Amino acid sequence: MSSSSSSFSFSSAETIARAAREAANLMQTISSSQKSAVLKRIRQVLEERRAQIIEANKEDQAAARKEVAAGRLSASLFKRLDIEGPDGQKFAALLQGVDDVDKIADPIGQVTLARKLDTALDLYRVVCPVGVCLVIFEARPEVVVNIACLAIKSGNAAILKGGKEASRTNQALADAIQHAIATTQQTQAQGEAMSRFPERAVQVVVTREEISSLLQMDRYVDLVVPRGSNSLVRYIQNNTRIPVLGHADGICSTYLDAEADARKAVHIVVDAKTSYPAACNSTEALLVHSSVVDSAFVDVSKALLAKGVRMHVDDRAKTAIERAGIEDASGLVSSATDDDFGHEYTDLDIAVKVVDSLNEAIDHINAHSSKHTDAIVTENKENAQWFMRRVDAAGVYWNASTRFADGFRYGFGAEIGVSTNKTHARGPAGLESLTIYKYYLFGNGQGSTDYGVGDGKRGFLHEEIPLDTIRDKFVL
């Protein structure tokens, strides 16, 4: 790349980042009713442009299919590209997601702590937006809508960069959203001051060079959210000073306990592995207590093989399958290697290991998982609770599929991703993950030296103010 090209890229990226910062500052004064009006308009425009968006998506899929055949694009990424879904279900879910975000109570301005420090000296902790969020993602063009809506609802500005495999779809969606923002009718109650909704609240960037420059702009950008492959996330984590919210791997495990119910085990494991193998919440490893290897595990194995799942099994699991006389005409069962555990397949593959105790299963999960989501199948409450306390993951489930690790299923309306961080957001990251807080202090001329021990000094009251009386005190 020439120096002039590099300079242009940096200048272009700075223009985008500065515009996003200005929009984020303006978003602090946007009312809940304005946000709702914009979200309703976005849904309307998406519905009106449905045919155009789906046509753009079909063009992306046609081009991507050639890339898969040439070995330049993974099959798992290709599976995430479709925005229409069977009978239009995915597009319908996309529209429903906009409605769901609109219905969520506006968190901005809500009080989460209130304390009277002294007479006429009141402290409030108030929810506020993070600011400018840079979201980088591969495939999954619906992310454009999810993030835009969550950003608007939470009062943030968003800069979006999708993968080139979905470029046409991403642009069609972005055009629809920006048109919706620009054409939303702004109304206000009589006597109410109103800021105009910033049209640059949602921006889309195209080139990789712009992203490289934006990752250096911690002056303007407050949070980076990568959604995609391990290599994408690792690259971003290693090339920015900006805080990163996300996860590099989705290595989820399911453990069949000694007291697992076979019927539940079959349904849970089949769902966790086969309902959407490319998803980050798909189960990649199955741990089996040795006491159920000839019972519940046999039933689970038959069900997985019937679904075409390739099973990478240890010696004891393989012996159990052979002992049960399970036919493997398609050669789906193979011996596991050490590399199979701790590997994210994103396909119809699963690694299987037999263990002799609950603690052995927990230790294996903590050593090999990505701290995303792990599940136990058992009828023993004490075992379940022990598992849920000891497994170090953002989600720990009892008798439920790991596929429930999703912002929509959690009732978040949509999600910006799944975080395995141990910071302000963990697990499926929804609206709250795009908020932080600031402290409001209302005084009456006090100085810090007025307080202390000795003559003429005042003491603090530190009295709690009931939240139910002032929770929405600062909501616009």
Side-chain angles (χ1 to χ4, degrees):
M1 181 182 293
S2 67
S3 59
S4 61
S5 176
S6 177
S7 174
F8 174 79
S9 174
F10 190 86
S11 175
S12 174
E14 186 170 12
T15 300
I16 292 166
R18 184 177 291 150
R21 171 53 62 194
E22 291 172 357
N25 292 340
L26 289 172
M27 288 290 286
Q28 301 265 1
T29 62
I30 297 298
S31 69
S32 297
S33 61
Q34 286 177 277
K35 296 175 189 176
S36 182
V38 169
L39 290 172
K40 286 181 171 61
R41 179 64 177 145
I42 286 174
R43 191 201 189 286
Q44 180 183 22
V45 175
L46 288 173
E47 183 66 74
E48 290 171 353
R49 299 190 179 188
R50 176 183 183 131
Q52 297 167 248
I53 293 167
I54 290 175
E55 181 59 33
N57 186 242
K58 287 179 178 177
E59 292 177 11
D60 281 334
Q61 289 187 69
R65 198 171 285 112
K66 296 177 183 177
E67 294 297 298
V68 173
R72 292 188 292 266
L73 183 71
S74 71
S76 60
L77 271 183
F78 178 78
K79 291 175 184 176
R80 299 177 182 183
L81 189 56
D82 177 33
I83 199 170
E84 184 177 20
D87 301 319
Q89 292 175 10
K90 283 189 72 176
F91 199 88
L94 178 72
L95 297 178
Q96 183 61 50
V98 180
D99 290 336
D100 290 343
V101 171
D102 186 26
K103 292 173 185 175
I104 297 173
D106 190 346
I108 304 304
Q110 290 188 357
V111 178
T112 60
L113 177 148
R115 185 169 294 152
K116 182 176 287 297
L117 305 187
D118 192 10
T119 302
L121 189 61
D122 295 336
L123 178 71
Y124 301 92
R125 185 171 65 206
V126 182
V127 177
C128 65
V130 166
V132 176
C133 301
L134 170 61
V135 185
I136 306 166
F137 56 97
E138 296 172 325
R140 287 191 178 176
E142 66 269 21
V143 171
V144 173
V145 178
N146 293 343
I147 302 297
C149 292
L150 286 171
I152 289 167
K153 186 73 175 190
S154 57
N156 290 281
I159 303 172
L160 308 177
K161 169 65 172 76
K164 63 180 181 180
E165 65 280 349
S167 59
R168 300 170 185 83
T169 316
N170 292 339
Q171 193 60 57
L173 291 169
D175 288 347
I177 291 167
Q178 289 166 340
H179 176 74
I181 292 173
T183 58
T184 298
Q185 295 296 316
Q186 304 287 334
T187 59
Q188 65 189 102
Q190 187 173 2
E192 179 186 90
M194 184 181 71
S195 299
R196 180 163 183 81
F197 199 97
E199 294 185 13
R200 305 297 291 276
V202 179
Q203 300 181 82
V204 175
V205 297
V206 178
T207 69
R208 295 183 66 179
E209 289 77 13
E210 285 172 325
I211 288 299
S212 297
S213 298
L214 285 167
L215 289 174
Q216 308 309 313
M217 295 192 179
D218 51 321
R219 177 181 177 185
Y220 301 113
V221 179
D222 300 293
L223 185 69
V224 181
V225 183
R227 293 187 60 171
S229 65
N230 179 290
S231 59
L232 170 71
V233 178
R234 295 292 184 201
Y235 171 81
I236 291 169
Q237 290 173 332
N238 294 331
N239 286 275
T240 187
R241 295 185 300 272
I242 304 166
V244 178
L245 186 153
H247 68 284
D249 299 292
I251 303 169
C252 304
S253 300
T254 298
Y255 167 57
L256 304 187
D257 184 51
E259 297 186 44
D261 177 280
R263 181 186 60 81
K264 292 178 183 177
V266 169
H267 186 61
I268 290 168
V269 176
V270 169
D271 178 88
K273 181 66 263 182
T274 69
S275 61
Y276 191 4
C280 64
N281 55 15
S282 173
T283 283
E284 305 287 26
L286 177 65
L287 302 175
V288 183
H289 193 279
S290 55
S291 66
V292 297
V293 74
D294 290 314
S295 52
F297 172 64
V298 170
D299 293 343
V300 169
S301 297
K302 291 177 180 177
L304 288 174
L305 293 171
K307 290 284 189 176
V309 177
R310 293 173 289 273
M311 299 179 66
H312 309 267
V313 301
D314 70 0
D315 291 342
R316 289 199 284 178
K318 191 171 187 179
T319 298
I321 290 172
E322 292 170 348
R323 190 162 50 231
I326 299 175
E327 292 187 10
D328 180 28
S330 301
L332 296 174
V333 179
S334 64
S335 295
T337 66
D338 289 342
D339 290 341
D340 286 314
F341 299 100
H343 179 69
E344 185 178 17
Y345 293 106
T346 63
D347 208 341
L348 286 174
D349 293 83
I350 194 166
V352 183
K353 179 179 177 62
V354 178
V355 297
D356 293 313
S357 70
L358 170 60
N359 283 334
E360 184 183 351
I362 291 170
D363 290 342
H364 185 276
I365 290 171
N366 285 339
H368 295 86
S369 80
S370 61
K371 305 183 188 303
H372 189 298
T373 306
D374 301 294
I376 181 173
V377 182
T378 185
E379 298 304 296
N380 186 302
K381 180 180 179 181
E382 289 72 24
N383 285 0
Q385 291 179 335
W386 183 251
F387 179 93
M388 297 172 88
R389 281 195 298 268
R390 281 207 56 211
V391 168
D392 183 13
V396 282
Y397 296 173
W398 176 17
N399 286 344
S401 167
T402 57
R403 289 277 289 120
F404 280 102
D406 174 83
F408 179 78
R409 295 185 177 102
Y410 277 14
F412 295 166
E415 67 177 29
I416 61 171
V418 178
S419 171
T420 54
N421 297 356
K422 293 185 179 179
T423 53
H424 84 291
R426 199 177 189 204
L431 194 65
E432 289 184 1
S433 303
L434 291 177
T435 66
I436 193 68
Y437 53 81
K438 62 175 69 172
Y439 287 98
Y440 289 7
L441 183 62
F442 293 84
N444 190 30
Q446 297 92 332
S448 64
T449 56
D450 299 339
Y451 297 84
V453 179
D455 293 341
K457 298 291 185 179
R458 296 180 60 86
F460 289 107
L461 296 177
H462 288 163
E463 295 176 353
E464 301 302 313
I465 302 172
L467 286 177
D468 57 359
T469 64
I470 46 82
R471 190 178 305 278
D472 295 330
K473 182 178 178 68
F474 304 108
V475 175
L476 294 178

